Amino acid sequence: MKNILLLGSGELGKEFVISAKRLGATVIACDSYAGAPAMQVADQSCVFSMLDEAALRAAIAEHQPDLIVPEIEAIRTEVLLDVEREGFEVIPTARAANLTMNRDRIRDVAVGLGVRTAKFAYAETAADLMREAEAIGFPVVIKPVMSSSGKGQSVAKTAQDIQASWDYACAGMRGDRQKVIVEEFIHFEYEITLLTVRQRSGPTLFCPPIGHVQERGDYQYSWQPQGMRPELLAQAQSMADTVTADLGGAGIFGVEFFVTADEVIFSELSPRPHDTGMVTMISQNLSEFDLHARAVLGLPIPKIEAVEGASAVVLATGNGSSPTYSGVSEALSEADVDVRIFGKPTTRPYRRMAVALAKGQDALSRARAAAAKIKVHTEQN
Ligand SMILES: Nc1ncnc2c1ncn2[C@@H]1O[C@H](COP(=O)(O)OP(=O)(O)O)[C@@H](O)[C@H]1O
Ligand SMILES: [Mg+2]
């Protein structure tokens, strides 16, 4: 029986724990606060910051896990590189976790592999940023190299916006590197997550593409399959295969692409289940969490099957604790609709608290209608 140390215990980790435990694994769930979603279903839990080098080393030394499975980006990944050298196994690899923690590192890898990306440059001062933005051409997208969920990200339409974008990026930055990526704004027709599964033995597998819509840096709803011209899908699969093969190891990857009328453009990737992939809990025979569990445990994946499905998020409105939920019964009164409440102990504005899922015809409108029925309540609001 494999013993897994899960680094990060949010809603994606919670579903992964359920999938892994169903296959006989034991899981120690770690996060910076007690009662995190994955801790509620794991064998044991551990509370410390994943950015705290000493605490992370101590947890690995204490639990001697067979597998270290990162669930978030913000981890002291240098520790993972070290312990991998000592013989611990990091999913998918310590290098993958290290490269994807920073937008510039994974972007440089993609470019080195000849993968098509938006035009981009890096800047370490507002003056650099102005020069690079002008070279790329407005509008441009500006993101801190260390950030997630859209934090510090903005679009500069003209040179007048650059100072505000720089200040916003600096305020939203994680870590100590004052560095941003500035990108050509892609007028895409749609964007997708291509869930890509690397197996220990067996070929790399692809789930049908997932379309999604983002607001304020977080996904709002997603659907599967996103219809794509076969040659564009083939391009996306080939790029996903190239990048994930370079990163190596076993597990699922969420590979993000922008799709224009005639082109697929690589954006970024997560070497772990992807939030937009929560739709697979209802649309696929094996969810992205089941696939990740099988891949990391070295179990076979003979077939991935999908029907039409969609997911829509339920967000909190204010700051509070011990949330309760209304409208769940109304949401579930429709056939082929399901709900996952994550069990987060506290709320803040726009925090994702639950997701509504639907499958079959008009899955997207039914998932969104179900999500709209569910309200989050706390004493403070
Ligand atoms: N160059 C770009 N052109 C157009 N839209 C973009 C660009 N970069 C990011 N976006 C939009 O912002 C979203 C979040 O950006 P992303 O780089 O994926 O950051 P995060 O790591 O926060 O998910 C994307 O899913 C897309 O909708
Ligand atoms: Mg993204």
Side-chain angles (χ1 to χ4, degrees), residues 160-338:
Q160 269 104 60
D161 297 336
I162 286 293
Q163 187 63 45
S165 284
W166 172 258
D167 293 341
Y168 188 64
C170 289
M173 237 169 246
R174 189 174 69 218
D176 41 22
R177 296 166 72 216
Q178 226 187 48
K179 186 173 176 184
V180 300
I181 182 170
V182 47
E183 288 186 18
E184 160 193 19
F185 186 93
I186 303 293
H187 298 274
F188 52 78
E189 284 192 353
Y190 54 89
E191 59 180 320
I192 62 161
T193 303
L194 186 61
L195 293 174
T196 302
V197 189
R198 280 184 54 83
Q199 304 190 77
R200 284 180 195 274
S201 47
T204 292
L205 306 172
F206 302 100
C207 299
I210 294 167
H212 54 89
V213 166
Q214 305 265 333
E215 269 168 39
R216 293 173 303 269
D218 274 318
Y219 108 93
Q220 303 301 304
Y221 44 94
S222 68
W223 58 91
Q224 188 188 40
Q226 163 65 49
M228 279 180 87
R229 285 188 4 232
E231 62 274 25
L232 294 181
L233 178 57
Q235 272 180 35
Q237 290 182 343
S238 159
M239 287 192 248
D241 187 46
T242 300
V243 181
T244 60
D246 182 78
L247 296 175
I252 201 163
F253 297 74
V255 190
E256 297 177 32
F257 295 99
F258 303 138
V259 186
T260 65
D262 50 11
E263 211 180 9
V264 179
I265 298 165
F266 171 84
S267 173
E268 62 162 1
L269 124 172
S270 68
R272 61 184 78 88
H274 198 273
D275 54 5
T276 62
M278 284 196 281
V279 59
T280 61
M281 288 192 277
I282 199 160
S283 59
Q284 292 189 177
N285 61 328
L286 296 170
S287 73
E288 63 170 342
F289 311 103
D290 299 331
L291 292 169
H292 197 47
R294 285 198 189 199
V296 306
L297 295 170
L299 297 170
I301 303 171
K303 182 164 72 176
I304 300 174
E305 261 183 337
V307 297
E308 189 181 321
S311 77
V313 302
V314 176
L315 304 177
T317 52
N319 290 297
S321 55
S322 308
T324 58
Y325 300 84
S326 63
V328 175
S329 173
E330 290 78 358
L332 294 179
S333 65
E334 265 231 50
D336 292 331
V337 166
D338 212 340

Side-chain angles (χ1 to χ4, degrees), residues 8 13 17 19 67 76-77 132 140 155 167 177 205 209 228 233 248 292 301 304 307 310 344 346 357 363 375:
V17 173
S19 296
L67 300 173
R76 189 59 58 204
T77 51
E132 298 296 356
V140 290
V155 175
D167 293 341
R177 296 166 72 216
L205 306 172
M228 279 180 87
L233 178 57
H292 197 47
I301 303 171
I304 300 174
V307 297
K344 293 179 183 173
T346 60
L357 306 167
K375 300 281 179 247

Side-chain angles (χ1 to χ4, degrees), residues 6 25 69 119 123 221 238 273 287 295 297 337 350 378-379:
L6 180 67
V69 179
K119 274 191 260 169
Y221 44 94
S238 159
S287 73
L297 295 170
V337 166
Y350 299 115
T378 60
E379 272 160 31

Side-chain angles (χ1 to χ4, degrees), residues 4-220:
I4 295 173
L5 189 71
L6 180 67
L7 303 179
S9 293
E11 56 269 39
L12 304 182
K14 180 179 186 178
E15 294 296 334
F16 171 73
V17 173
I18 294 169
S19 296
K21 285 191 56 63
R22 281 176 173 163
L23 297 174
T26 57
V27 186
I28 303 139
C30 308
D31 210 322
S32 57
Y33 65 98
M39 293 177 183
Q40 300 164 17
V41 291
D43 297 276
Q44 283 182 62
S45 63
C46 243
V47 177
F48 61 92
S49 164
M50 304 299 111
L51 291 167
D52 178 339
E53 174 171 345
L56 179 54
R57 280 189 199 282
I60 295 167
E62 182 190 343
H63 296 288
Q64 296 287 313
D66 300 306
L67 300 173
I68 299 172
V69 179
E71 190 241 8
I72 53 172
E73 265 170 20
I75 297 174
R76 189 59 58 204
T77 51
E78 297 81 358
V79 174
L80 301 184
L81 291 166
D82 283 350
V83 299
E84 190 177 75
R85 277 191 287 270
E86 290 163 22
F88 286 99
E89 183 170 358
V90 179
I91 297 300
T93 59
R95 179 170 163 263
N98 181 251
L99 291 174
T100 53
M101 186 172 170
N102 296 287
R103 294 181 197 281
D104 50 341
R105 293 196 190 134
I106 185 66
R107 183 58 68 94
D108 291 344
V109 168
V111 169
L113 294 166
V115 165
R116 165 83 167 102
T117 68
K119 274 191 260 169
F120 70 94
Y122 303 123
E124 298 190 10
T125 64
D128 273 0
L129 178 59
M130 182 67 87
R131 197 171 43 249
E132 298 296 356
E134 276 171 343
I136 289 170
F138 290 95
V140 290
V141 183
I142 292 136
K143 313 168 195 177
V145 293
M146 281 181 81
S147 80
S148 52
S149 298
K151 288 194 190 75
Q153 181 172 326
S154 65
V155 175
K157 294 201 176 76
T158 68
Q160 269 104 60
D161 297 336
I162 286 293
Q163 187 63 45
S165 284
W166 172 258
D167 293 341
Y168 188 64
C170 289
M173 237 169 246
R174 189 174 69 218
D176 41 22
R177 296 166 72 216
Q178 226 187 48
K179 186 173 176 184
V180 300
I181 182 170
V182 47
E183 288 186 18
E184 160 193 19
F185 186 93
I186 303 293
H187 298 274
F188 52 78
E189 284 192 353
Y190 54 89
E191 59 180 320
I192 62 161
T193 303
L194 186 61
L195 293 174
T196 302
V197 189
R198 280 184 54 83
Q199 304 190 77
R200 284 180 195 274
S201 47
T204 292
L205 306 172
F206 302 100
C207 299
I210 294 167
H212 54 89
V213 166
Q214 305 265 333
E215 269 168 39
R216 293 173 303 269
D218 274 318
Y219 108 93
Q220 303 301 304

